[in-house]
Amino acid sequence: QVQLVESGGGLVQAGGSLRLSCAASGNIFSISAMGWYRQAPGKQRELVAIVTSGSTANYADSVKGRFTISRDNAKNAVYLQMNSLKPEDTAVYYCYTRGRIGPIGEYQWWGQGTQVTVSS
């Protein structure tokens, strides 16, 4: 089994910063991508940022220039530095990992979610 453990959410005022962390553990053969999604109340889950094993990063337009995703391949970890936070960034943030547990087949795993609340 593969588990994702997240940390770093919380309450912050608009304009502040938070850093999310996520570490994957378990029977992981390889990881092709790690990233973050978020889901606000009444809305669909959306991609925030994702980084591939080749370090190519993609961001949602709404967070470009404010959020930075980074990855530590040795630790199977991914981080999201969130600066200049806005109230509309309030959501539950989910860590996402795509990878293999063997030579055949690719799987996706999700973290339990961490709440980020930005007050105005």
Side-chain angles (χ1 to χ4, degrees), residues 6-91:
E6 304 156 343
S7 61
L11 172 65
V12 65
Q13 289 187 334
S17 299
L18 284 173
R19 178 179 168 87
L20 304 182
S21 300
C22 173
S25 63
N27 186 26
I28 301 171
F29 183 75
S30 64
I31 292 177
S32 59
M34 297 188 78
W36 295 90
Y37 284 70
R38 67 186 181 187
Q39 188 167 17
K43 295 188 177 181
Q44 290 188 332
R45 190 174 297 188
E46 62 176 1
L47 174 69
V48 177
I50 192 166
V51 58
T52 68
S53 57
S55 298
T56 299
N58 288 293
Y59 296 89
D61 287 343
S62 59
V63 307
K64 284 180 180 177
R66 301 188 297 122
F67 291 10
T68 302
I69 190 169
S70 60
R71 182 173 161 181
D72 185 334
N73 291 331
K75 296 181 178 180
N76 287 337
V78 65
Y79 309 95
L80 186 68
Q81 179 65 44
M82 304 185 293
N83 298 328
S84 302
L85 283 160
K86 303 175 181 180
E88 51 263 43
D89 294 318
T90 296

